[in-house]
Amino acid sequence: MMLPAHHILPLTHLRRLRMLTEKGRVLVRSGQTVEATDVIAEAPVPGQHLLLDVRRALGVQRVSDAERLIERRVGEQVEKGDILAQTRGLFSRLLRAPTSGRIVAIYKGQILLEVVSQPHRLLAGLPGRVAEVFPERGAIIETHGALIQGAWGNQQSNNGVLTVLAETPDAPLKPEALDLTLRGSVIVGGVCHQPEALKMAAEIPVRGIILGSVSAPLLPLVASLNLPVILLEGVGHIPINHLAFQLLTTNQKREAYLQAFWNPRLSEKPEIVIPLPAAGKAPEEAVEITVGQTVRLVLPPYAGSIGKVIQPHSSWLQRSGQRLPAAEIELENAQRVTVPLFNLEIIA
């Protein structure tokens, strides 16, 4: 039976698709070298509209008076601060454009302003080479390096120098371990149960946070941070698995790229990529389960645990009375458990 792969790889060949959600303009060509912050495509964003009430702004009663005081016309472009309408006299009042835009309508003493919007810019996200271009949509970026996938991310991306603060996989991230020398770093902690540590990391600011897990009450805070946070194992008190911890430790002080995008419906996992000057093989996305394979358990009570396959079973009687495909697993602490295959991912 084929199982999904969970990647913890010291060296691999990555191909990552970067696509616009709407049609736009691709700015790169096949074979071009790009940095993570390079804009590879852009698409127009529909303009927003502001309705400005001239009567209220200038303190006049009649619509005809308000329209007489308007100094601009439909179709004109205005810059932020430009005068749109004004009264005369000693105590004159002004209505200025609150932002740059274009006047699209004037009706009954009101001005409808279409706000100038910046196009949506799609970044490469990773340093590498443009392997393929999709006209009007995006491109595939390929690179080589270490890859670690996580269990949850807060939909942010960034990069920085990898700094492992945790001495052990279950070491807590504490506020006293953080200072201004970490500015610009991607920091690694074991677990986190203190909101102060997350807030301080954001204030420094660090460029990203990698943890094994956080306590459930901290999830709203983590999700709101304006920097990527990747949980390698999930929610609760789950240490970083030893394979990922060793890989992070051996790559300390290298540049790490965090793509904390998580969508379980599309099987999208957050990823940590550490580019390396060597070529690797492309990872497999699904692998046939066999004896001796290293696996990761996904669900409680063994969520995040790593083990070896002792024996796959095509049909195993569960406590519920159901028979499901399962496997006997020997965990790292030598405990043996039998779990359904849907609770397993192959480490590959």
Side-chain angles (χ1 to χ4, degrees), residues 46-207:
Q48 296 181 330
H49 293 82
L50 295 177
L51 187 62
L52 308 174
D53 191 329
V54 178
R55 287 193 301 169
R56 179 177 297 178
L58 300 186
V60 299
Q61 298 297 322
R62 292 183 296 186
V63 171
S64 59
D65 289 341
E67 292 186 341
R68 180 174 50 83
L69 297 173
I70 296 173
E71 299 185 356
R72 298 287 182 166
R73 296 293 178 262
V74 174
E76 287 190 35
Q77 297 286 343
V78 296
E79 300 296 325
K80 181 179 180 180
D82 284 354
I83 296 174
L84 303 180
Q86 63 178 321
T87 62
R88 303 295 179 180
L90 185 60
F91 300 102
S92 63
R93 290 187 177 185
L94 301 175
L95 172 62
R96 295 183 181 274
T99 187
S100 299
R102 183 174 68 91
I103 297 174
V104 294
I106 297 174
Y107 182 70
K108 291 188 176 181
Q110 296 178 318
I111 299 174
L112 185 62
L113 184 66
E114 184 180 56
V115 178
V116 174
S117 58
Q118 294 295 323
H120 170 66
R121 292 183 169 91
L122 179 66
L123 303 183
L126 293 170
R129 187 182 72 90
V130 178
E132 190 174 351
V133 169
F134 300 94
E136 299 183 326
R137 285 296 186 180
I140 290 177
I141 309 299
E142 65 178 10
T143 191
H144 297 270
L147 170 64
I148 303 172
Q149 291 184 323
W152 184 92
N154 67 341
Q155 314 300 335
Q156 303 280 334
S157 65
N158 211 334
N159 61 282
V161 177
L162 189 64
T163 303
V164 180
L165 299 180
E167 295 184 358
T168 60
D170 62 347
L173 181 66
K174 296 182 178 180
E176 51 266 32
L178 305 173
D179 57 45
L180 290 177
T181 62
L182 296 172
R183 178 174 297 210
S185 298
V186 169
I187 61 173
V188 180
V191 298
C192 183
H193 304 299
Q194 294 182 266
E196 294 78 13
L198 297 171
K199 293 175 182 176
M200 184 171 293
E203 289 172 2
I204 287 175
V206 300
R207 303 294 296 276

Side-chain angles (χ1 to χ4, degrees), residues 6 150-151 191 212-214 231-242 295-307 329 331-333 335 337 339 342-345 347:
H6 185 84
V191 298
S213 58
V214 299
L231 306 182
L232 295 178
E233 313 302 342
V235 179
H237 186 92
I238 311 173
I240 300 175
N241 69 80
H242 83 277
V295 294
R296 176 179 179 271
L297 281 70
V298 180
L299 302 174
Y302 308 107
S305 297
I306 299 293
I329 308 299
L331 303 180
E332 292 177 310
N333 61 4
Q335 179 184 1
V337 297
V339 297
F342 64 72
N343 190 11
L344 296 176
E345 294 175 325
I347 299 294

